[in-house]
Amino acid sequence: MQKDLGNYRKSYEKSDLLESGVSDNPMELFQKWFYEVENFGGIDEPNTMTVSTIGLDGFPKNRIVLLKKYTHEGFIFYTNYNSEKGKAIDENPGVCLSFFWPNMERQFIVKGTAEKIAPNMSDGYFESRPVGSQLAAIASNQSSVVASREELEKSVKLLEQKYQNKPLERPKHWGGYLVRPISMEFWQGRPNRLHDRLRYTLEESFDWKIERLQP
């Protein structure tokens, strides 16, 4: 089985990325880009990102998660701490986040260090989730093998009965990570594959060095 994809081509012409038009602070540029992507439309969840870790087996692994908050400190997402991803972060907190926004022909890539956020912050976010999502977080032993879909749904049903008309508490093994960036790359598609790439690197002075990368 094979299929030649060599003729799949598109010319990227929607915008540019020049040093003269960017902030010295990459988080300000990220916020600007995020708003532009959101307002341009065509993407259901602009906060969708890929989280890459180095697994306990030595192989890199990517998975899609949702960014839930960003601050001057970095980027926050939530997961099961006992999952494959959580165990990988425990072993090696160096992670990569990447966003692809085809509606604006943009990518954004972060290299940084992941750390667990304060329990009260995870509590607050857990309480804001729909009840169904809370039940799923409690019922799922994320990344472990399950015999069938029916078994998983049965676990949720039992929890529904157990906690009927009772508040649900966040399980201790579920919560947020803050990724503190050490570098951030902004990629803007351009015609003829001469794309714009600006990389911000955190220096010892806590200033950001801006460099243009070749496409």
Side-chain angles (χ1 to χ4, degrees):
M1 180 185 298
Q2 65 176 0
K3 180 176 176 61
D4 186 353
L5 305 178
N7 290 323
Y8 278 49
R9 291 189 179 90
K10 176 183 177 181
S11 181
Y12 300 127
E13 302 178 353
K14 290 185 177 178
S15 189
D16 57 25
L17 179 61
L18 304 177
E19 289 86 340
S20 59
V22 301
S23 169
D24 291 336
N25 186 325
M27 293 304 297
E28 293 179 2
L29 180 55
F30 172 78
Q31 180 169 264
K32 177 177 182 292
W33 269 29
F34 192 89
Y35 286 160
E36 289 174 350
V37 167
E38 191 174 37
N39 292 333
F40 193 85
I43 295 182
D44 291 335
E45 294 178 306
N47 59 326
T48 299
M49 64 182 185
T50 301
V51 177
S52 303
T53 59
I54 301 297
L56 302 184
D57 58 2
F59 285 85
K61 184 171 182 178
N62 306 328
R63 73 283 285 168
I64 302 298
V65 304
L66 296 177
L67 176 69
K68 287 301 181 180
K69 188 175 183 178
Y70 62 90
T71 71
H72 68 282
E73 293 183 297
F75 304 87
I76 294 175
F77 67 94
Y78 293 85
T79 190
N80 186 314
Y81 292 142
N82 294 332
S83 66
E84 186 177 3
K85 142 179 12 81
K87 292 175 181 176
I89 291 173
D90 282 346
E91 184 71 18
N92 181 353
V95 302
C96 182
L97 312 177
S98 62
F99 297 76
F100 177 49
W101 295 309
N103 65 336
M104 294 289 288
E105 301 171 351
R106 290 174 174 172
Q107 297 182 64
F108 174 65
I109 303 168
V110 178
K111 286 196 294 185
T113 303
E115 62 185 55
K116 292 177 182 177
I117 64 174
N120 64 311
M121 291 180 62
S122 292
D123 289 340
Y125 176 70
F126 185 83
E127 291 169 6
S128 74
R129 303 182 90 203
V131 171
S133 296
Q134 292 179 342
L135 288 167
I138 297 171
S140 174
N141 295 316
Q142 190 175 341
S143 302
S144 64
V145 175
V146 65
S148 65
R149 174 77 190 188
E150 289 73 21
E151 182 175 318
L152 186 61
E153 292 179 348
K154 181 180 178 180
S155 297
V156 174
K157 285 290 186 183
L158 290 173
L159 285 172
E160 285 179 340
Q161 296 169 7
K162 179 179 179 180
Y163 288 101
Q164 191 173 16
N165 300 321
K166 297 178 183 178
L168 294 164
E169 292 187 4
R170 175 184 66 88
K172 301 304 180 186
H173 60 264
W174 189 97
Y177 284 105
L178 166 68
V179 177
R180 295 184 183 272
I182 60 171
S183 76
M184 296 186 242
E185 180 185 332
F186 296 82
W187 183 101
Q188 176 65 61
R190 297 295 301 274
N192 301 316
R193 299 299 187 262
L194 288 176
H195 310 306
D196 287 328
R197 297 173 62 190
L198 294 184
R199 181 179 64 194
Y200 289 74
T201 305
L202 187 62
E203 300 186 294
E204 290 185 2
S205 63
F206 297 104
D207 293 325
W208 292 94
K209 178 174 66 175
I210 304 175
E211 299 172 298
R212 175 169 290 270
L213 305 179
Q214 297 193 44

